[in-house]
Amino acid sequence: MDLSPDFLAQCFVNTFSAVREPRKAAEDRLAEAADAPNFALAVLNLVGTPTFDEQIRHAAAVNFKNYLRQRWAPAQDSEFNPIPDDEKNQIKTLIVSLMLSSSPRIQSQLSEALSLIGKHDFPKTWPSLLPELIQSLQAASQSNNYATINGILGTANSIFKKFRYQYKSNDLFIDLKYCLDQFAAPLLEIFRITAALIDSAVRSGAVSFEALKPLFESQRLCCRIFYSLNFQELPEFFEDHMNEWMTEFKKYLTSSYPALDNSGPGLAVADDLRSAVCENISLYMEKNEEEFQPYLNDFALAVWTLLVNVSQNPARDKLAITAIKFLTTVSTSVHHGLFGEDSVILQICQNIVVPNVRLRDDDEELFVMNYIEYIRRDMEGSDLDTRRRIACELLKGIATNYKKQVTAIASAQIQNLLSSNVNNLAVNWKDKDCAIYLVVSLASKKSGGVDVSTDIVDVQSFFTSVIVPELQSQDVNAYSMLKAGALKFFTVFRNQIPKHLAIHLLPDLARFLEAESNVVHSYAASCIEKLLLVKDDGARARYNAADLGPFILVLMNNLFNALKLPESEENQYIMKCIMRVIGVAEINAAIADPCCIGLTTILNQVCKNPKNPIFNHYLFESVAILVRRACERDISLIPAFEARLFPSLQMILANDVTEFLPYAFQLLAQLVELNRPPISPSYMQVFMLLLSPESWNRNSNVPALVRLLQAFLQKAPHELHQEGRLSQVLGIFERLVSSPSTEEQGFHLLNTVIENLEFPVIAPYMGHIWAALFTRLKKKETTKFIKSLLIFMSLFLIKHGPGNLIDTMNSVQANIFTAILDKFWIPKLKLITGHIEVKLVAVASCKLICESPVLVEPAAASKWGKMLDSIVTLLSKPEEHRVEEEPEMPDVAENVGYTATFVNLYNAGKKEDDPLKDIKDPKQFLVASLSSLSVTSPGRFPQLINENLDLANQTALMQLCSTYNCPVV
């Protein structure tokens, strides 16, 4: 393989081609060459050859970095071969010097590559790295070569970042100590030298942005390294030199640099350094409060002064946020007294909180241009790092110790804001929005609940006087951001708004669904949806079908029309509201038909290009709940639903819309379960599709396919054993049960077969079934499989009797039933969980010891006693005292290439079947069974019980007998 620089350079040139053929050919050649020995060294050689064009060398550097990411330490299942150790050593020898001598573009790529190596090898198998970096740093410092200095510091910063994120361990602290011993002193030295150069340049007055930029970048990198090395705990070196660091930190927060502060790019450079300083002092405030205390007052004043002077320009957001975070940390510490004066709290409200909460031009732009991101920040809480949220967090932090003062001052500020807009809404509407935002953001949520409370305003009075006028405004498109704030307030405080007032406003909420603003109609939908979830004492829903009845048609019409508005075609908030309304409203033919038409129309559209998985899920949930609520109430509607839905579901199946297949199978199962036999031919076509092995190739489809096949088995059991279909179903069972990832689904299928077919039909297949189960048990014995096996055996026993169970098992291997009983049934019975499952296995086990000759005969006395002991344990001990679940290792190989996942449709859920509806209490059944057996075997039980039941179970059994008045023991 040719790895010459000229060959590789030509390949990289061709990868820039706009024509596909040469570009693809070059990519293929590089991929082939990548498997050749010393490929990485050849590419690195090209990167370091200055005679080639920089664009080619940069492309080579990117390729080199990606090559290392794939092959330096590939995963066990990776398709890539690892780089040999001797080649790794050569790379580590060359990369530092090459990185430092490269141009900035190439240097950044090689720095990332070096960090990738360091992540795996540093420091244990690369002890020369840090000494080499330090030596280069000192040499570059002597010549004031800040391009090289910043390259070295940037690399060190990347390497040391691991100390911020990894959990504490001995190995981590060994690595940290090594880095501190080597790098702490050189770091402080370059920090001092750079600080002196900045001071000298500022004093001279003849300094430019170009001269200061690399110096400030160097100090920023030093601050980030400081953060990493101090993150775990305060190192002795930094404690000894704290004054030197803190003096410089304070200077950068309090000094002005006209050459930087008077230009946009320069201000960004200065603010980046100030932000890094704020993060460092916040770290010390959180973790080293006692050592930091002498510097606290000066820094608090410096940060305060800085904040008051920071403009609302979005470019300065990072500095404002990190500065406010520092003050918030101080406000909740033992030094909160700095904020105890009313005058201080008032200044914070007036000069920091209100200015940062007030809407800015970029907020308005985001509201209009990117409504999804705006909602994510404003309603869903992803705005933790925005000025609006962090300013309110500061006020909440102060309220931790000064709640009364904060409440009074914040309340007065809110009233001032509301008063300012009374006479001139057009000019001062942002004041009203600011007031609403403050009330919502300063509210507190009760622990573990959804109720939100606030002492700043009387919620009902504020709602009536401030919010209701906005909601009843006839122009839904006027002051859209203010309308959105009002809708958000209604949503947040929904539990505290009286029902009569909320119902009176529901038509207005429906009106806002017609608003042009995506945020406004999304908030209206979210408000309606959340209202319908409100519960009163006793967990009773506050709003019911009768409350929606008077305007349900208008509401549904507006919801579907909202999905036709620009950029809301796949609006998840509207679709979730549709789902919730259908779940509450009275669904009759007049509602069901237009809803079904609307939903299937949308479904046909999204099938062409599924994009929003959340929207799609709510869409299918809406279809499922509409089918359930309409057809369970009126089965005559089923044909109409089938006529509407079948073309859409057939399109999904025919076009193999991967994302929607599990949903389609669940909806088909729901329709099959609602039908009455005989099943129509159109369903039977789907049934034949189910029996095809190709349908089961994707694991993500398996739960839904099993669910659908179970529905067919329940509704069409007689068609099952025609034309060899039962053997096909059992072939599917065997395939599923052979794999740990699908074994549970295999048992679900098998249980349905046993439950719905008579014994003469399944008898010829039982030997094959048991053989498959025993083979799987022998191959891999897991807790989940054993529990499923016990449930299956219990169900078989209940449906077809203990004799048939024992005989069919022993026909595969002599006396295997006894072996299974001893090794699994008796000792593992206590692992069963779930109300129906516990009842099933308990009753089946009772029948074994009371009806089966295998256990009733005197020779099996020991087994009989042990089984009784297990039954009593199962029925008398709480689940948490008898079940110790062991996490089971997933079979990684089975999931290679797996992308889609199964998502369960809640509203199409399968009703849990109880095969023992006539038996209400398994404890009573146990006592009654023992009582009947004691009549035929008098005097036998006391000795067996004393010999096999521990004292706790003896006591539990006596209590059961007493409770049910059956004196067995």
Side-chain angles (χ1 to χ4, degrees), residues 43-55:
V43 174
L44 198 59
N45 179 47
L46 172 59
V47 173
T49 305
T51 54
F52 289 101
D53 183 80
E54 168 136 351
Q55 187 179 16

Side-chain angles (χ1 to χ4, degrees), residues 163-446:
F163 298 123
R164 304 181 200 171
Y165 309 120
Q166 292 187 10
Y167 289 113
K168 291 183 179 182
S169 66
N170 287 337
D171 286 344
L172 185 72
F173 279 104
I174 290 171
D175 289 353
L176 177 58
K177 184 178 185 306
Y178 169 81
C179 294
L180 286 166
D181 291 345
Q182 295 271 331
F183 206 79
L187 177 69
L188 177 58
E189 182 63 22
I190 194 64
F191 188 67
R192 283 176 181 152
I193 292 170
T194 308
L197 289 174
I198 293 172
D199 292 344
S200 175
V202 171
R203 282 195 301 270
S204 71
V207 66
S208 65
F209 163 67
E210 288 74 17
L212 281 182
K213 181 182 176 182
L215 301 178
F216 269 66
E217 173 62 10
S218 178
Q219 296 300 70
R220 185 192 71 82
L221 288 167
C222 286
C223 285
R224 300 312 293 147
I225 295 171
F226 177 99
Y227 188 87
S228 297
L229 295 179
N230 282 270
F231 189 86
Q232 295 291 340
E233 59 182 29
L234 177 61
E236 184 179 349
F237 179 88
F238 286 95
E239 184 175 3
D240 292 343
H241 296 274
M242 188 181 296
N243 191 58
E244 294 163 80
W245 286 100
M246 296 303 153
T247 300
E248 292 301 318
F249 287 169
K250 180 185 170 187
K251 184 173 66 181
Y252 295 131
L253 296 181
T254 55
S255 301
S256 61
Y257 301 93
L260 299 178
D261 291 338
N262 294 335
S263 74
L267 187 60
V269 170
D271 280 358
D272 282 346
L273 174 55
R274 292 166 180 146
S275 298
V277 168
C278 286
E279 289 192 82
N280 285 345
I281 60 177
S282 291
L283 179 70
Y284 267 46
M285 190 65 232
E286 289 175 12
K287 300 198 172 190
N288 311 308
E289 190 174 318
E290 182 180 346
E291 294 84 357
F292 183 66
Q293 197 274 331
Y295 308 95
L296 176 58
N297 286 353
D298 287 346
F299 274 111
L301 179 61
V303 171
W304 177 298
T305 306
L306 184 67
L307 267 174
V308 171
N309 294 307
V310 170
S311 70
Q312 293 299 307
N313 189 325
R316 309 202 74 185
D317 281 358
K318 184 178 180 182
L319 174 59
I321 290 165
T322 54
I324 294 173
K325 281 184 176 178
F326 169 72
L327 294 182
T328 304
T329 303
V330 176
S331 74
T332 56
S333 73
V334 296
H335 305 290
H336 56 75
L338 293 172
F339 301 92
E341 297 292 330
D342 287 1
S343 59
V344 173
I345 299 174
L346 179 61
Q347 288 182 59
I348 286 175
C349 274
Q350 291 177 334
N351 299 328
I352 296 177
V353 176
V354 171
N356 283 291
V357 166
R358 181 183 290 276
L359 285 169
R360 299 178 301 177
D361 291 344
D362 64 307
D363 295 317
E364 295 183 66
E365 183 180 345
L366 188 68
F367 183 91
V368 174
M369 302 302 294
N370 190 348
Y371 83 94
I372 293 174
E373 179 59 26
Y374 183 90
I375 294 174
R376 193 173 287 131
R377 291 186 185 182
D378 185 55
M379 183 70 92
E380 297 181 0
S382 71
D383 61 338
L384 287 174
D385 282 329
T386 63
R387 290 202 196 195
R388 297 191 97 190
R389 171 64 74 87
I390 211 69
C392 292
E393 291 300 313
L394 171 58
L395 210 52
K396 288 165 81 170
I398 298 171
T400 303
N401 297 289
Y402 306 101
K403 184 174 183 180
K404 185 177 179 180
Q405 295 96 312
V406 168
T407 299
I409 292 170
S411 180
Q413 288 294 306
I414 288 166
Q415 291 307 315
N416 290 339
L417 289 165
L418 292 174
S419 300
S420 73
N421 98 96
V422 169
N423 298 321
N424 194 346
L425 182 64
V427 173
N428 298 322
W429 67 268
K430 290 185 180 179
D431 287 352
K432 187 173 184 178
D433 174 86
C434 186
I436 295 172
Y437 186 91
L438 282 169
V439 173
V440 172
S441 297
L442 296 175
S444 57
K445 183 179 287 188
K446 292 182 180 178

Side-chain angles (χ1 to χ4, degrees), residues 463 467-468 470-473 476 483 486-491 494 497 501-515 520-532 543 548 551 554-555 558-559 562 577:
F463 184 75
I467 304 300
V468 170
E470 295 300 326
L471 298 180
Q472 292 183 331
S473 168
V476 296
K483 298 292 193 298
L487 289 165
K488 179 183 176 183
F489 184 97
F490 194 179
T491 305
R494 60 191 178 275
I497 308 303
L501 181 54
I503 290 176
H504 180 67
L505 291 168
L506 279 174
D508 294 303
L509 294 179
R511 227 171 12 91
F512 276 104
L513 293 167
E514 300 176 305
V520 171
H521 60 243
S522 298
Y523 276 21
S526 182
C527 187
I528 295 167
E529 189 265 328
K530 295 289 193 296
L531 275 173
L532 297 180
Y543 304 96
L548 294 178
F551 59 98
V554 173
L555 176 57
N558 287 2
L559 282 165
C577 185

